[in-house]
Amino acid sequence: MTVGELLDAAMALLRTRAAPLLGWGFLVALLEQVVLFPLRQLADVVNVVFPAEDRWGWFWLLLVTGFATEAACIALLGGLSSAAAPRALLGPAAPLRPARPLATGVVAVVAALVCGLAAVSVVAWPIAYALLGLAVPAVVLDRLDPGRALLRSIGLVVRSGLRAGGIRLLGYTSWLLIRLATGIGSYAALGLFVDTGVAWRDHLVLGLAWLAVNAVAYPVLACLDTVLHLETRMRNEGLDIALRRATSRGVSAEGALAVPR
């Protein structure tokens, strides 16, 4: 697939399970804002983005925590999008793939810690984000334990010539621009109805604005990770050929989805 086709495929996957993905997307985005609200208070963020002059340390902690929480949110939703992928790809005859919440949660915690620590140095964050995106699909689709799934994600990204990681960063950047525009617009719109002259109320309105946009962005990015995992396996391991053979023979696709030895 081209980059545009991959982004379209992510949206198509989202539409197959829109209700649960958007519902859980709202929930994890809400929990994220609950975590970030006290940090936003301590940083005294004003004018949507910038902190008070003496609060740059708290603002930096807010940014680092935000990078960690969004990595966790995307990973958690990746369990749902990956569970829906076989049916979206092969139809009702596809083998069921449960979301494996425990293993997915472990990967989400690791991704959050790594991305958060990488964000401290700024330059390391794109590397961490690019390399870890295929770990949750590896847990759900490839049936691997969290440790092997993390290593497989890194291996698939490297074997693809960093193509999968680069597209993941491109998708993140595209949605970041959408999130910034929509978030700032939502903040301005809410400000018409809510008096933001009080600091805590201003921060609450800002959190609601980010909640509205992240509740959609996170499920889309999770679906992109799932699509990237499948497409990378097709490019590097011939997954599409194996699935086509299984379908033509009328046998289960379970063997085709298994990790090649």
Side-chain angles (χ1 to χ4, degrees), residues 4 6 11 17 23 32 35 46 53 58 67 112 120 145 155 168 186 211 234:
L6 285 167
M11 294 300 298
R17 296 295 301 276
E32 177 189 40
V35 172
V46 294
E53 293 180 359
W58 287 111
F67 279 117
V120 174
D145 60 72
R168 189 175 197 236
S186 300
L211 167 62
M234 290 176 184

Side-chain angles (χ1 to χ4, degrees), residues 183-197 201-202 205-206 209:
I184 294 172
S186 300
Y187 173 81
L190 288 170
L192 297 175
F193 304 98
V194 180
D195 179 15
T196 57
R201 199 177 295 155
D202 177 79
V205 170
L206 180 59

Side-chain angles (χ1 to χ4, degrees), residues 76-122:
L76 289 171
L77 293 170
L80 292 175
S81 62
S82 297
R87 291 291 177 93
L89 185 65
L90 300 173
L96 292 174
R97 279 291 191 265
R100 302 186 67 195
L102 182 59
T104 298
V106 172
V107 172
V109 170
V110 173
L113 291 174
V114 173
C115 288
L117 291 173
V120 174
S121 64
V122 181

Side-chain angles (χ1 to χ4, degrees), residues 9-102:
M11 294 300 298
L13 177 58
L14 175 63
R15 286 194 293 270
T16 65
R17 296 295 301 276
L21 279 168
L22 292 176
W24 282 103
F26 176 84
L27 180 60
V28 297
L30 176 61
L31 293 175
E32 177 189 40
Q33 291 307 315
V34 170
V35 172
L36 296 181
F37 179 78
L39 293 177
R40 196 173 284 124
Q41 286 278 84
L42 291 169
D44 195 18
V45 176
V46 294
N47 296 327
V48 184
V49 176
F50 298 105
E53 293 180 359
D54 60 340
R55 303 294 181 91
W56 284 99
W58 287 111
F59 182 66
W60 188 249
L61 179 60
L62 172 64
L63 289 180
V64 169
T65 305
F67 279 117
T69 54
E70 70 178 6
C73 291
I74 295 169
L76 289 171
L77 293 170
L80 292 175
S81 62
S82 297
R87 291 291 177 93
L89 185 65
L90 300 173
L96 292 174
R97 279 291 191 265
R100 302 186 67 195
L102 182 59

Side-chain angles (χ1 to χ4, degrees), residues 123-215:
V123 294
W125 177 85
I127 300 173
Y129 186 83
L131 292 177
L132 300 181
L134 309 187
V136 170
V139 165
V140 177
L141 293 171
D142 300 352
R143 315 302 291 164
L144 299 179
D145 60 72
R148 291 179 61 199
L150 289 163
L151 292 176
R152 178 155 170 78
S153 176
I154 296 171
L156 284 173
V157 172
V158 172
R159 283 162 53 195
S160 70
L162 303 181
R163 177 179 181 273
I167 295 174
R168 189 175 197 236
L169 285 171
L170 178 62
Y172 177 91
T173 304
S174 301
W175 272 94
L176 177 62
L177 296 176
I178 296 172
R179 288 156 64 192
L180 286 173
T182 308
I184 294 172
S186 300
Y187 173 81
L190 288 170
L192 297 175
F193 304 98
V194 180
D195 179 15
T196 57
V198 182
W200 72 266
R201 199 177 295 155
D202 177 79
H203 300 154
L204 179 61
V205 170
L206 180 59
L208 291 174
W210 286 119
L211 167 62
V213 65
N214 287 341

